[in-house]
Amino acid sequence: MTSLLSLSHGACGQAAKPPAAKRVDAVDTRLGYTLRDPYRWMEDPKDPDWASWMRAQGAYARRALDALPGHDALLRRIGELTGELPIASRIQRAGTATFVEFRPSGASVPKLYVVDRTGAEKRLLVDPEATAGADGAHMSLDWWRASDDGGLVAYGLSPAGSEESVARVMRVADGTHFPETMDRARFASPQWLPDGSGFFYTRGREGAVRGAPDYLLNTVSWLHRLGTDPRQDVRIASGGDTLDGYKLLPIDFPFVVTTPGSDIALLLPYGGVRRENALLAAPLAEAVTGRARWRAIARLEDQVTGFTLRGRDVYLVSEKGAPLGRILRTSATAPDLSRAEIVVAEAKTPIETADAGLVATRDGVYFARQNGGPMTLHRLAPEGGVTDIKMPFDAGIYALFGSTDQDGVDVRMAGWVEPFAIYRWQPGGSLVDTGLSPRPSFSTAPYESTRLIATARDGTKVPVSIIAKRGLKRDGSAPALGQCYSSYGISASPLFSPRSIAFLERGGVMFEVHARGGGEYGSPWWRAGQKANKPNTWRDFIDGSEAVIRAGWTSPKRLTIMGTSAGGIAVGNALVERPDLFAAAIDNVGWTNTARAGVEQNSAPNFPEFGDPSDGAEYRGLVAMDAYHKIKEGVRYPAVLALTGMTDPRVAPWHPAKFAARLQHASTGGPVLLRVDFDAGHGLGSTRQQTDAQWADVLAFVLAQGRT
């Protein structure tokens, strides 16, 4: 049988080596560091060698991946699994209508539907597949929100996974559109006025140059009135504004929040990936004028990580003096956190705000707690008192949907072997599957999830979630794919992917290391893997992987590790620190050249999490987590698959490209492939078929390890 290693030596007629990258003499010298960067030229998208080298690398990787044993069978099987599994990913109940973001069976991307009344059939409103970009690129639905009465919906589409949304407004009754469109609406987050005459939204500043380091800075909040020229929109706030003593930072995205039945508007200066944010309030009647006297409810030092508005009451999750979070209630018209009522005290498990957040409804406020991965759901009644809602399985809660003019909450959740679905809970009832995501025809019964507690080198107990066939023999022979993300305080809660079945049914093992840097145990767990503490993340990944090996689930010659996006820090550093421990590594749109923070468009919004390069101490932390600069000549590194999309707006394609080029030049070990998709970005707007193809490549690559 053909091995992956043999492919690097000319199997199947392939060139013996990947296309060589030119090298330049670029050096950064600062604070005692001398960082040589021979592939600095890749940071310039106008370099004449850039596109051609990427195409050559992509073609080389394509031939190698297509030749892997069982690749085509995997692709067919994955297509069967995803094609027959319709998925509802978001819901909004507005008036008598229910809006659903839904990917039907066989469709490439999610579409927007409306159910006009209870018992009616879904009606298609927005179909990205019926539209194409100017150059023929596929379109994706980025965001949408219906007006309070369900009569209108604002939505954004973008081409080729770029997330560069263009906003439009549709009349739900007949599907016609208002004439205006708004570009630069990547993070629009529309919030409707009560009468549906317009909405607040956030828009990139005029003149911002895509790809420039300041591209996402100083975004602007506006009020748009329907049927008017966007150039007449009312400016609400932007970076540099000072409101009640709080000066909006350039990285702050100024989101206005409204809720049905409230005459208050909230202003959230959302600091990119920053967990703690300020919050301000003003009468809605003032906010629409653009001259509101905003009053600060919370400032950064109050460590508020979540909030919701119910009438004139503001509920906030504060971690100040309560690292696992507590919920406070204060008045939006006379806010005073020093006298705020504690309505939910700090408990042994942290309040989760990264995914679920707080949701206010007519019957109360819903929130979730985290417990090392699995989550629980709770309801705070208006008069006080918390109801613990029974969970049907160990679940990850990925969204809560509710409205202050309706009772109950909709919950999007999944388990490791339990497909995603939207459940509904109403007072006096139980969590019930809405059926909006039909159950799959395939069974997950042959598979199970187990939990292992690894001991990190400093004695910290680190959970590891393992998914495999029931009764799998633990003799180290199984191929395994271990993953780690652990950044931003985002928890790796249970989730399900139908694509994983294609790997599990072939005897594969999947596991997730819940390393420090995530939110599994609240803000202390997150801070223990942030900035200067980031080494804990990849060392937990290494130590967790060793625990999986010791338990017999796999062995070093069959183990592949993978990190996506910020997980590139974890996988890149685990690879270079312990090349002996892994058969292969997958760098999926990974951030690996962290010492260059500050030179790409998504840099500044990430400074609060990883560090600001203008600060000497934080720059040292960025260098310490830079896997690209740790690659050494002549080391036998494992096989590596790096993946990128050329329209990626979050992690510039040159990160995986430079990482792959350096390994191709330095490593004496396994092959290094750079997979390039010219019609994709960070993955958020990819079609089902694009994601299927990517996972077929990934899983074929994993299964090839250790074969002879």
Side-chain angles (χ1 to χ4, degrees), residues 493-552:
S493 295
L495 84 167
F496 176 80
S497 170
R499 299 175 180 94
S500 66
I501 299 297
F503 183 59
L504 298 175
E505 64 190 9
R506 286 166 168 77
V509 172
M510 306 188 86
F511 67 87
E512 183 84 34
V513 178
H514 301 270
R516 283 169 283 185
E520 284 84 347
Y521 295 115
S523 62
W525 195 253
W526 161 59
R527 294 183 190 280
Q530 184 205 27
K531 292 187 177 179
N533 294 325
K534 198 62 187 170
N536 284 332
T537 298
W538 67 78
R539 288 168 185 162
D540 285 356
F541 194 14
I542 292 170
D543 297 342
S545 297
E546 288 188 310
V548 171
I549 291 170
R550 285 195 299 271

Coordinates of all heavy atoms in Angstrom, one line a residue, residues 493-552:
S493 N -16.6 22.9 23.7 CA -17.8 22.1 24.2 C -18.2 21.0 23.2 O -17.8 21.1 22.0 CB -19.0 23.1 24.4 OG -18.7 24.0 25.4
P494 N -18.9 20.0 23.6 CA -19.3 19.0 22.7 C -20.0 19.5 21.5 O -20.9 20.4 21.5 CB -20.3 18.2 23.6 CG -19.9 18.4 25.0 CD -19.4 19.8 25.0
L495 N -19.6 19.0 20.3 CA -20.2 19.4 19.1 C -20.1 18.2 18.1 O -19.4 17.3 18.4 CB -19.6 20.6 18.4 CG -18.3 20.4 17.6 CD1 -18.0 21.7 16.8 CD2 -17.1 20.1 18.5
F496 N -20.9 18.2 17.1 CA -21.0 17.1 16.2 C -20.8 17.5 14.8 O -21.3 18.5 14.3 CB -22.4 16.4 16.3 CG -22.6 15.3 15.3 CD1 -22.1 14.0 15.6 CD2 -23.3 15.5 14.2 CE1 -22.3 13.0 14.7 CE2 -23.5 14.4 13.3 CZ -23.0 13.2 13.5
S497 N -20.0 16.7 14.1 CA -19.8 16.9 12.6 C -20.1 15.6 11.9 O -19.5 14.5 12.2 CB -18.4 17.3 12.3 OG -18.2 17.3 10.9
P498 N -21.0 15.6 11.0 CA -21.3 14.3 10.2 C -20.1 13.8 9.5 O -19.9 12.6 9.3 CB -22.4 14.7 9.3 CG -22.3 16.2 9.1 CD -21.9 16.7 10.4
R499 N -19.2 14.7 9.2 CA -18.0 14.3 8.5 C -17.1 13.3 9.3 O -16.3 12.5 8.8 CB -17.2 15.5 8.0 CG -18.0 16.4 7.0 CD -17.2 17.7 6.7 NE -18.0 18.5 5.8 CZ -18.9 19.4 6.2 NH1 -19.0 19.7 7.5 NH2 -19.6 20.1 5.3
S500 N -17.2 13.5 10.6 CA -16.4 12.7 11.5 C -16.8 11.2 11.4 O -15.9 10.3 11.7 CB -16.5 13.1 13.0 OG -17.9 12.9 13.4
I501 N -18.0 10.9 11.1 CA -18.4 9.5 11.0 C -17.6 8.8 9.9 O -17.3 7.6 10.1 CB -19.9 9.4 10.6 CG1 -20.8 10.1 11.6 CG2 -20.4 8.0 10.3 CD1 -20.8 9.5 13.0
A502 N -17.2 9.4 8.9 CA -16.4 8.8 7.8 C -15.1 8.3 8.4 O -14.4 7.4 7.9 CB -16.2 9.7 6.6
F503 N -14.6 9.0 9.4 CA -13.3 8.6 10.0 C -13.5 7.6 11.1 O -12.8 6.6 11.2 CB -12.7 9.9 10.6 CG -11.3 9.7 11.3 CD1 -10.2 9.2 10.5 CD2 -11.1 10.1 12.6 CE1 -9.0 9.0 11.1 CE2 -9.9 9.9 13.2 CZ -8.8 9.4 12.5
L504 N -14.6 7.8 12.0 CA -14.8 6.9 13.1 C -15.2 5.5 12.6 O -14.7 4.5 13.2 CB -16.0 7.5 13.9 CG -15.7 8.8 14.6 CD1 -17.0 9.3 15.3 CD2 -14.5 8.7 15.6
E505 N -15.9 5.4 11.5 CA -16.3 4.1 11.0 C -15.2 3.3 10.4 O -15.3 2.1 10.2 CB -17.5 4.2 10.0 CG -17.2 4.9 8.7 CD -18.4 5.2 7.9 OE1 -19.5 5.0 8.4 OE2 -18.2 5.7 6.7
R506 N -14.1 4.0 10.2 CA -12.9 3.3 9.7 C -11.9 3.0 10.8 O -10.7 2.8 10.6 CB -12.2 4.2 8.6 CG -12.9 4.2 7.3 CD -12.4 5.4 6.4 NE -12.9 5.2 5.0 CZ -14.1 5.5 4.6 NH1 -15.0 5.9 5.4 NH2 -14.5 5.3 3.3
G507 N -12.4 3.1 12.0 CA -11.6 2.8 13.2 C -10.8 3.9 13.7 O -9.9 3.7 14.6
G508 N -11.0 5.2 13.3 CA -10.3 6.3 13.8 C -10.7 6.8 15.1 O -11.9 6.5 15.6
V509 N -9.9 7.5 15.8 CA -10.1 8.1 17.1 C -10.0 9.6 17.0 O -9.0 10.1 16.4 CB -9.1 7.6 18.2 CG1 -9.3 8.3 19.5 CG2 -9.3 6.1 18.4
M510 N -10.9 10.4 17.5 CA -10.8 11.8 17.5 C -10.8 12.3 19.0 O -11.5 11.7 19.8 CB -12.0 12.5 16.8 CG -12.2 12.0 15.4 SD -13.4 12.9 14.4 CE -12.4 14.2 13.8
F511 N -10.0 13.3 19.3 CA -10.0 13.8 20.6 C -9.7 15.3 20.6 O -9.1 15.8 19.7 CB -9.0 13.0 21.5 CG -7.5 13.2 21.2 CD1 -6.8 14.2 21.8 CD2 -6.9 12.3 20.4 CE1 -5.4 14.4 21.5 CE2 -5.5 12.4 20.1 CZ -4.8 13.4 20.7
E512 N -10.2 15.9 21.7 CA -10.0 17.3 21.9 C -9.4 17.6 23.2 O -9.8 17.1 24.3 CB -11.4 18.0 21.9 CG -11.3 19.5 22.0 CD -11.1 20.3 20.7 OE1 -11.5 19.8 19.6 OE2 -10.4 21.3 20.7
V513 N -8.3 18.3 23.2 CA -7.6 18.6 24.5 C -8.1 20.0 24.9 O -8.0 21.0 24.2 CB -6.1 18.7 24.3 CG1 -5.4 19.1 25.7 CG2 -5.5 17.3 23.9
H514 N -8.7 20.1 26.1 CA -9.3 21.3 26.6 C -8.2 22.1 27.4 O -8.3 22.3 28.6 CB -10.5 21.0 27.6 CG -11.6 20.1 26.9 ND1 -12.6 20.7 26.3 CD2 -11.7 18.8 26.7 CE1 -13.4 19.8 25.8 NE2 -12.9 18.6 26.1
A515 N -7.3 22.6 26.6 CA -6.1 23.2 27.2 C -6.5 24.6 27.8 O -7.5 25.2 27.5 CB -5.0 23.4 26.1
R516 N -5.6 25.1 28.6 CA -5.7 26.4 29.2 C -5.6 27.4 28.0 O -4.9 27.3 27.1 CB -4.6 26.7 30.2 CG -4.9 26.0 31.5 CD -3.7 26.0 32.5 NE -2.7 25.0 32.1 CZ -1.6 24.7 32.8 NH1 -1.4 25.4 33.9 NH2 -0.8 23.8 32.4
G517 N -6.5 28.5 28.2 CA -6.7 29.4 27.1 C -8.1 29.4 26.6 O -8.6 30.4 26.1
G518 N -8.8 28.3 26.8 CA -10.2 28.2 26.6 C -11.0 28.7 27.8 O -10.5 29.2 28.7
G519 N -12.3 28.4 27.8 CA -13.2 28.9 28.9 C -13.8 27.8 29.7 O -14.8 28.0 30.4
E520 N -13.3 26.5 29.6 CA -13.9 25.4 30.2 C -14.1 25.5 31.7 O -15.0 25.0 32.3 CB -13.1 24.1 29.9 CG -13.3 23.6 28.5 CD -12.4 24.2 27.4 OE1 -11.8 25.3 27.7 OE2 -12.3 23.7 26.3
Y521 N -13.2 26.3 32.3 CA -13.3 26.5 33.8 C -13.3 28.0 34.1 O -12.8 28.4 35.1 CB -12.2 25.8 34.5 CG -12.3 24.3 34.4 CD1 -11.3 23.5 33.7 CD2 -13.4 23.6 34.9 CE1 -11.4 22.2 33.6 CE2 -13.5 22.2 34.8 CZ -12.5 21.5 34.1 OH -12.6 20.1 34.0
G522 N -13.8 28.8 33.2 CA -14.0 30.2 33.4 C -12.8 31.0 33.1 O -11.8 30.6 32.5
S523 N -12.8 32.3 33.6 CA -11.8 33.2 33.2 C -10.4 32.8 33.8 O -9.4 33.1 33.1 CB -12.1 34.6 33.7 OG -12.3 34.7 35.1
P524 N -10.3 32.2 35.0 CA -9.0 31.8 35.4 C -8.3 30.8 34.4 O -7.1 30.8 34.2 CB -9.2 31.1 36.8 CG -10.5 31.7 37.3 CD -11.3 31.9 36.0
W525 N -9.1 29.9 33.8 CA -8.6 28.9 32.9 C -8.2 29.7 31.6 O -7.1 29.3 31.0 CB -9.7 27.9 32.6 CG -9.2 26.7 31.8 CD1 -9.5 26.3 30.5 CD2 -8.5 25.6 32.4 NE1 -8.9 25.1 30.2 CE2 -8.3 24.6 31.4 CE3 -8.0 25.3 33.7 CZ2 -7.6 23.4 31.6 CZ3 -7.3 24.1 33.9 CH2 -7.1 23.2 32.8
W526 N -8.9 30.7 31.2 CA -8.6 31.4 30.0 C -7.3 32.2 30.2 O -6.4 32.2 29.4 CB -9.7 32.4 29.7 CG -9.4 33.5 28.8 CD1 -8.8 33.5 27.6 CD2 -9.5 34.9 29.1 NE1 -8.6 34.8 27.1 CE2 -9.0 35.7 28.0 CE3 -10.0 35.6 30.2 CZ2 -9.0 37.1 28.0 CZ3 -9.9 37.0 30.2 CH2 -9.5 37.7 29.1
R527 N -7.2 33.0 31.3 CA -6.0 33.8 31.6 C -4.8 33.0 31.7 O -3.7 33.4 31.4 CB -6.3 34.6 32.8 CG -7.4 35.7 32.7 CD -7.5 36.6 33.9 NE -8.7 37.4 33.9 CZ -8.8 38.5 33.2 NH1 -7.7 39.0 32.5 NH2 -9.9 39.2 33.2
A528 N -4.9 31.7 32.1 CA -3.8 30.8 32.3 C -3.2 30.4 30.9 O -2.1 29.8 30.9 CB -4.1 29.6 33.1
G529 N -3.9 30.8 29.8 CA -3.3 30.5 28.5 C -3.4 31.7 27.6 O -3.5 31.5 26.4
Q530 N -3.3 32.9 28.2 CA -3.4 34.1 27.4 C -2.0 34.8 27.5 O -1.3 34.7 28.4 CB -4.5 35.0 28.0 CG -4.7 36.3 27.2 CD -5.3 37.4 28.1 OE1 -5.2 37.4 29.3 NE2 -6.1 38.3 27.5
K531 N -1.7 35.5 26.4 CA -0.5 36.3 26.3 C 0.8 35.6 26.8 O 1.1 34.6 26.2 CB -0.7 37.7 27.0 CG -1.8 38.6 26.3 CD -1.8 39.9 27.0 CE -2.8 40.8 26.3 NZ -2.9 42.2 26.9
A532 N 1.4 36.1 27.8 CA 2.6 35.5 28.3 C 2.4 34.1 28.8 O 3.4 33.3 28.9 CB 3.3 36.3 29.4
N533 N 1.2 33.7 29.1 CA 0.9 32.4 29.6 C 0.5 31.4 28.5 O 0.2 30.2 28.7 CB -0.3 32.4 30.6 CG 0.0 33.1 31.9 OD1 1.2 33.0 32.4 ND2 -1.0 33.8 32.4
K534 N 0.7 31.9 27.2 CA 0.2 31.0 26.1 C 1.0 29.7 26.0 O 0.4 28.7 25.5 CB 0.4 31.8 24.8 CG -0.4 31.2 23.6 CD -1.9 31.2 23.9 CE -2.7 30.5 22.9 NZ -4.1 30.3 23.3
P535 N 2.2 29.6 26.4 CA 2.9 28.3 26.4 C 2.1 27.2 27.1 O 2.2 26.0 26.7 CB 4.3 28.5 27.0 CG 4.6 29.9 26.7 CD 3.2 30.6 26.8
N536 N 1.3 27.5 28.1 CA 0.5 26.5 28.7 C -0.4 25.8 27.7 O -0.8 24.6 27.9 CB -0.3 27.1 29.9 CG 0.5 27.4 31.1 OD1 1.5 26.7 31.4 ND2 0.1 28.4 31.9
T537 N -0.9 26.6 26.7 CA -1.8 26.0 25.8 C -1.2 24.8 25.0 O -1.7 23.7 25.0 CB -2.3 27.1 24.8 OG1 -3.0 28.1 25.5 CG2 -3.3 26.5 23.7
W538 N -0.1 25.1 24.4 CA 0.5 24.0 23.5 C 1.2 22.9 24.4 O 1.2 21.7 24.0 CB 1.5 24.5 22.5 CG 2.7 25.2 22.9 CD1 3.9 24.5 23.3 CD2 3.0 26.6 22.9 NE1 4.9 25.4 23.6 CE2 4.4 26.7 23.4 CE3 2.3 27.7 22.6 CZ2 5.0 27.9 23.5 CZ3 3.0 28.9 22.8 CH2 4.3 29.0 23.2
R539 N 1.6 23.3 25.6 CA 2.2 22.2 26.4 C 1.1 21.3 27.0 O 1.2 20.1 27.2 CB 3.1 22.8 27.5 CG 4.3 23.3 26.9 CD 5.2 24.2 27.7 NE 6.3 24.7 26.9 CZ 7.1 25.7 27.2 NH1 6.9 26.4 28.3 NH2 8.1 26.1 26.4
D540 N -0.1 21.9 27.3 CA -1.3 21.1 27.7 C -1.6 20.2 26.5 O -2.0 19.0 26.7 CB -2.5 22.0 28.0 CG -2.3 22.6 29.4 OD1 -1.4 22.3 30.1 OD2 -3.2 23.4 29.7
F541 N -1.5 20.7 25.3 CA -1.9 19.9 24.1 C -0.9 18.7 24.0 O -1.3 17.6 23.8 CB -1.7 20.8 22.9 CG -2.3 20.2 21.6 CD1 -3.2 19.1 21.6 CD2 -2.0 20.8 20.4 CE1 -3.7 18.6 20.4 CE2 -2.6 20.3 19.2 CZ -3.4 19.2 19.2
I542 N 0.4 19.0 24.2 CA 1.4 17.9 24.2 C 1.1 16.9 25.3 O 1.0 15.7 25.1 CB 2.8 18.5 24.4 CG1 3.2 19.3 23.1 CG2 3.8 17.4 24.6 CD1 4.5 20.1 23.3
D543 N 0.9 17.4 26.5 CA 0.7 16.5 27.7 C -0.6 15.7 27.6 O -0.7 14.5 27.9 CB 0.7 17.3 29.0 CG 2.1 18.0 29.2 OD1 3.1 17.6 28.6 OD2 2.1 18.9 30.0
G544 N -1.6 16.4 27.0 CA -2.9 15.6 26.8 C -2.8 14.6 25.8 O -3.3 13.5 25.9
S545 N -2.0 14.9 24.7 CA -1.7 13.8 23.7 C -1.0 12.7 24.2 O -1.3 11.5 23.9 CB -1.0 14.5 22.5 OG -1.7 15.5 21.9
E546 N 0.0 12.9 25.1 CA 0.7 11.8 25.7 C -0.2 11.0 26.6 O 0.0 9.7 26.6 CB 1.9 12.4 26.5 CG 3.0 12.9 25.7 CD 4.3 13.3 26.5 OE1 4.1 14.0 27.5 OE2 5.4 12.9 26.1
A547 N -1.1 11.6 27.2 CA -2.0 10.8 28.1 C -2.9 9.9 27.2 O -3.2 8.8 27.6 CB -2.9 11.8 28.9
V548 N -3.3 10.4 26.1 CA -4.1 9.6 25.1 C -3.3 8.4 24.6 O -3.9 7.3 24.6 CB -4.6 10.5 24.0 CG1 -5.3 9.6 22.9 CG2 -5.6 11.5 24.4
I549 N -2.1 8.6 24.4 CA -1.2 7.5 23.9 C -1.0 6.5 25.1 O -1.1 5.3 24.8 CB 0.2 8.1 23.5 CG1 0.0 8.9 22.2 CG2 1.2 6.9 23.3 CD1 1.2 9.7 21.8
R550 N -0.8 7.0 26.3 CA -0.6 6.0 27.4 C -1.8 5.2 27.6 O -1.7 4.1 28.1 CB -0.2 6.8 28.7 CG 1.2 7.3 28.7 CD 1.6 7.8 30.1 NE 0.8 8.8 30.6 CZ 1.1 10.1 30.4 NH1 2.1 10.5 29.7 NH2 0.2 11.0 30.9
A551 N -3.0 5.8 27.4 CA -4.2 5.0 27.6 C -4.5 4.0 26.5 O -5.5 3.3 26.5 CB -5.4 6.0 27.7
G552 N -3.6 4.0 25.5 CA -3.7 3.0 24.4 C -4.6 3.3 23.3 O -4.9 2.5 22.4

